[in-house]
Amino acid sequence: MAKYSTNEFKAGLKIMLDADPCAIIENEFIKPGKGQAFNRVKIRNLKTGRVIERTYKSGESVEGADVVDIEMQYLYNDGEFWHFMVPDTFEQYQADKNAIADSVKWLKDQDICTMTLWNDSPLTVTPPNFVELAVSDTDPGLKGDTSGGGGKPATLESGAVVRVPLFVQIGELIKVDTRTGEYVSRVKD
Amino acid sequence: MEDIWRPACDLKQLHLRAQMLSKIRDFFDRRSVLEVETPLLCQATGTDPQLDFFSTEYHRSPKNRTMYLQTSPEFAMKRLLAAGSGSIFQICKAFRNAEFGRYHNPEFSILEWYRIDFTLWQLIDEVIELLTELLTGYYVAESVKKMGYFEVFKEVTGLNPLEFCQESYALYASQNSIMDAIKICGNDHSMWLDFIFSYKIQPSLKNLGICIVFGYPAIQSSLARVNIDNPLISDRFEVFIEGIEIGNGFFELSNAEEQEKRFNQENKTRELKGLVAVESDKLFLDALKFGLPDCSGIALGLDRLLMVMANTQALSDVITFPLDRA
């Protein structure tokens, strides 16, 4: 994999740090007029999602990480692996529990997810920003109450639990923002 | 996609810059300081290992000659001073390779001036007068403070910046979330000072308005004289506004022998770092040998100053065409 000099640092660049693939979130060039230059970067560890801060001496080179994002369709779960397919090439990938992590609760057959591959192996899976899922369980609630005040928890077909307005009933399809885990609206068939 | 043929800055910043330049000229006119011009394209450049320069070829048959874009007008202006110009100022461009970021553009505007027979303290007062005139109506300084490098460093970190103790510096770094400094700086005292100053001291100046930090450690004296009473510090100061470095001033080193020694030292450092050797500026050294009058001088970064006046967050907010649009 190519090496990158600190001069090439910018948001989005994928580099190796402590043997893990990482993405640069923010890069700041620091240099006293008469002194040493540094690059202070905010980096996300793509394995753990943790954000850390690192400083490099300007001019230093670091190993790039072979990381790519590819849109894939979710197919099924065989009990151990989650299977995805690249729609254009029909190429299939299987993600393990670590790669799926929290995304598992938003997965629905056929949905297009973003899979991040590191050296061609699944690293993480990001669900679509909005998913439509059926409510499999929730309190019947009070009929006619549309005030939207408190809301109530609802379990969705994929296993996620979100807060929904009181009028939402079992069996209804709702739209959820997966980035915040918040209810957006009901979906009329 | 934004039209990148357009200027990066708002058009109103053109007016602000023009106004600032005319105020600067008026300021020095009233003080009978002469405006001068010196070449941007020079036969020699500084040996400072921290400054990466641009070089180019002058086509002169049968052999080309390497020329440099100046990293500062300092050497040429001192040659004028040695020749008897009297106090002078210049507004010009300076070039520093590989410096690009929120507060950096490889081509930037400098205001540099020299005052014959001025002590460092007189120059500091004049800098404050100029800044006050320029900033009036645009920026209200919380305060104008003068502080010693040693004092502010000690106050913020508890460390002694003048005496290097790798162990206590490293302990400080590990306890104050700048662990990376330990590996990067190693046993390089000067680099430790740069790291800690940039990460810890400068941010602490952020809400203090205009700060003059004087008495830089002698190991970072650059082209300043070493203090006559305390050989551990130099007669060098820096100006910060809101924690942003705006300028760097010296009671100017005039001893040619000492200057040559520093050049050689810097070239040794360049070699250790694997940088190309740079020939010392012979014409500049000749001028010093002839005699530089006692003087104090300073360079201010005009783009950064404009940033403060315009209350913007990045240099590209006040430059027409920064590197990526130039």
Side-chain angles (χ1 to χ4, degrees), chain A residues 101-172:
Chain A
D102 274 355
S103 298
V104 67
K105 63 182 182 187
W106 304 116
L107 286 183
K108 187 177 170 184
D109 300 358
Q110 314 292 318
D111 270 0
I112 301 289
C113 300
T114 304
M115 186 179 290
T116 303
L117 297 172
W118 173 38
N119 296 333
D120 211 37
S121 310
L123 188 64
T124 55
V125 173
T126 312
N129 290 344
F130 298 99
V131 291
E132 291 176 0
L133 293 163
V135 176
S136 55
D137 190 30
T138 188
D139 259 5
L142 298 166
K143 267 263 188 262
D145 184 345
T146 53
S147 65
K152 58 182 180 179
T155 305
L156 308 181
E157 56 177 318
S158 58
V161 177
V162 296
R163 276 201 92 69
V164 298
L166 296 175
F167 56 75
V168 172
Q169 300 300 323
I170 294 173
E172 280 187 298

Side-chain angles (χ1 to χ4, degrees), chain B residues 9-69:
Chain B
C9 69
D10 192 299
L11 291 183
K12 71 182 179 198
Q13 312 306 359
L14 305 185
H15 294 267
L16 192 59
R17 184 180 289 264
Q19 225 174 69
M20 175 181 74
L21 293 178
S22 98
K23 278 186 190 167
I24 291 169
R25 293 199 159 96
D26 177 62
F27 180 89
F28 287 112
D29 190 42
R30 276 183 273 133
R31 286 163 177 76
S32 301
V33 177
L34 184 69
E35 178 164 11
V36 297
E37 267 189 16
T38 56
L40 301 184
L41 190 62
C42 307
Q43 295 179 30
T45 187
T47 50
D48 187 342
Q50 311 291 6
L51 290 185
D52 192 359
F53 45 77
F54 288 91
S55 60
T56 184
E57 294 293 309
Y58 176 66
H59 295 178
R60 189 185 58 169
S61 165
K63 215 174 134 221
N64 287 351
R65 171 186 213 147
T66 304
M67 302 286 286
Y68 305 91
L69 287 177

Side-chain angles (χ1 to χ4, degrees), chain A residues 7 26-41 53-58 60, chain B residues 48 50-51 74 96 98-101 104 180 184 191 194-195 198-199 222 236 238 245 248 250 273:
Chain A
N7 295 328
E26 210 178 283
N27 168 46
E28 196 182 352
F29 179 74
I30 295 177
K31 184 183 189 304
K34 303 279 174 194
Q36 174 67 45
F38 305 104
N39 285 68
R40 179 188 206 164
V41 288
E53 212 182 80
R54 266 298 170 100
T55 294
Y56 293 89
K57 200 160 81 172
S58 294
E60 235 179 283
Chain B
D48 187 342
Q50 311 291 6
L51 290 185
E74 183 152 4
R96 294 181 186 177
E99 294 192 8
F100 187 52
H104 295 82
D180 290 339
I184 291 177
M191 205 185 289
D194 285 336
F195 202 117
S198 299
Y199 281 73
S222 194
R236 169 184 166 200
E238 292 229 358
E245 185 188 19
N248 178 70
F250 304 138
K273 292 188 169 202

Side-chain angles (χ1 to χ4, degrees), chain B residues 208-324:
Chain B
L208 295 180
I210 300 174
C211 291
I212 308 283
V213 178
F214 59 86
Y216 270 65
I219 54 163
Q220 301 195 324
S221 54
S222 194
L223 283 85
R225 282 192 212 192
V226 170
N227 188 271
I228 198 160
D229 300 317
N230 181 356
L232 290 179
I233 63 171
S234 62
D235 289 336
R236 169 184 166 200
F237 69 94
E238 292 229 358
V239 187
F240 297 88
I241 304 181
E242 295 290 305
I244 302 169
E245 185 188 19
I246 297 288
N248 178 70
F250 304 138
F251 182 44
E252 303 293 346
L253 178 65
S254 60
N255 183 324
E257 217 172 293
E258 167 74 15
Q259 183 67 65
E260 201 162 2
K261 218 169 80 190
R262 290 191 197 179
F263 278 161
N264 293 338
Q265 191 57 48
E266 287 183 333
N267 255 330
K268 260 189 212 139
T269 310
R270 296 187 74 88
E271 207 184 314
L272 284 176
K273 292 188 169 202
L275 301 169
V276 285
V278 174
E279 230 176 284
S280 309
D281 188 335
K282 201 178 156 307
L283 300 176
F284 169 56
L285 286 172
D286 282 349
L288 288 190
K289 277 175 202 151
F290 177 80
L292 180 73
D294 278 351
C295 61
S296 294
I298 181 168
L300 295 183
L302 290 182
D303 307 300
R304 289 196 192 161
L305 194 55
L306 210 54
M307 245 182 75
V308 174
M309 289 169 71
N311 192 22
T312 63
Q313 300 306 310
L315 218 57
S316 57
D317 294 333
V318 294
I319 293 181
T320 50
F321 304 114
L323 181 69
D324 45 0

Side-chain angles (χ1 to χ4, degrees), chain B residues 85-283:
Chain B
S85 66
S87 296
I88 49 177
F89 80 98
Q90 173 161 217
I91 294 168
C92 64
K93 287 290 186 73
F95 302 84
R96 294 181 186 177
N97 215 332
E99 294 192 8
F100 187 52
R102 187 163 152 201
Y103 298 125
H104 295 82
N105 194 55
E107 173 179 353
F108 62 103
S109 296
I110 274 188
L111 162 64
E112 181 146 328
W113 80 94
Y114 292 88
R115 292 295 242 138
I116 306 277
D117 287 333
F118 263 38
T119 63
L120 203 65
W121 305 107
Q122 282 173 294
L123 183 64
I124 288 174
D125 286 341
E126 191 166 77
V127 170
I128 293 170
E129 277 169 48
L130 174 69
L131 290 178
T132 308
E133 274 192 28
L134 295 179
L135 294 173
T136 298
Y138 298 101
Y139 170 79
V140 183
E142 197 65 34
S143 58
V144 180
K145 281 198 158 71
K146 299 177 198 172
M147 49 183 94
Y149 186 101
F150 175 85
E151 285 74 18
V152 67
F153 202 96
K154 182 108 191 170
E155 190 190 311
V156 175
T157 65
L159 298 169
N160 179 349
L162 304 180
E163 275 169 45
F164 183 49
C165 169
Q166 194 175 345
E167 219 167 43
S168 53
Y169 279 41
L171 183 66
Y172 172 80
S174 64
Q175 289 172 346
N176 290 275
S177 60
I178 48 169
M179 284 290 283
D180 290 339
I182 299 171
K183 202 178 97 212
I184 291 177
C185 304
N187 61 0
D188 186 333
H189 184 193
S190 189
M191 205 185 289
W192 269 105
L193 296 181
D194 285 336
F195 202 117
I196 295 175
F197 201 91
S198 299
Y199 281 73
K200 297 295 175 184
I201 316 292
Q202 256 178 274
S204 79
L205 307 179
K206 205 166 171 0
N207 298 313
L208 295 180
I210 300 174
C211 291
I212 308 283
V213 178
F214 59 86
Y216 270 65
I219 54 163
Q220 301 195 324
S221 54
S222 194
L223 283 85
R225 282 192 212 192
V226 170
N227 188 271
I228 198 160
D229 300 317
N230 181 356
L232 290 179
I233 63 171
S234 62
D235 289 336
R236 169 184 166 200
F237 69 94
E238 292 229 358
V239 187
F240 297 88
I241 304 181
E242 295 290 305
I244 302 169
E245 185 188 19
I246 297 288
N248 178 70
F250 304 138
F251 182 44
E252 303 293 346
L253 178 65
S254 60
N255 183 324
E257 217 172 293
E258 167 74 15
Q259 183 67 65
E260 201 162 2
K261 218 169 80 190
R262 290 191 197 179
F263 278 161
N264 293 338
Q265 191 57 48
E266 287 183 333
N267 255 330
K268 260 189 212 139
T269 310
R270 296 187 74 88
E271 207 184 314
L272 284 176
K273 292 188 169 202
L275 301 169
V276 285
V278 174
E279 230 176 284
S280 309
D281 188 335
K282 201 178 156 307
L283 300 176

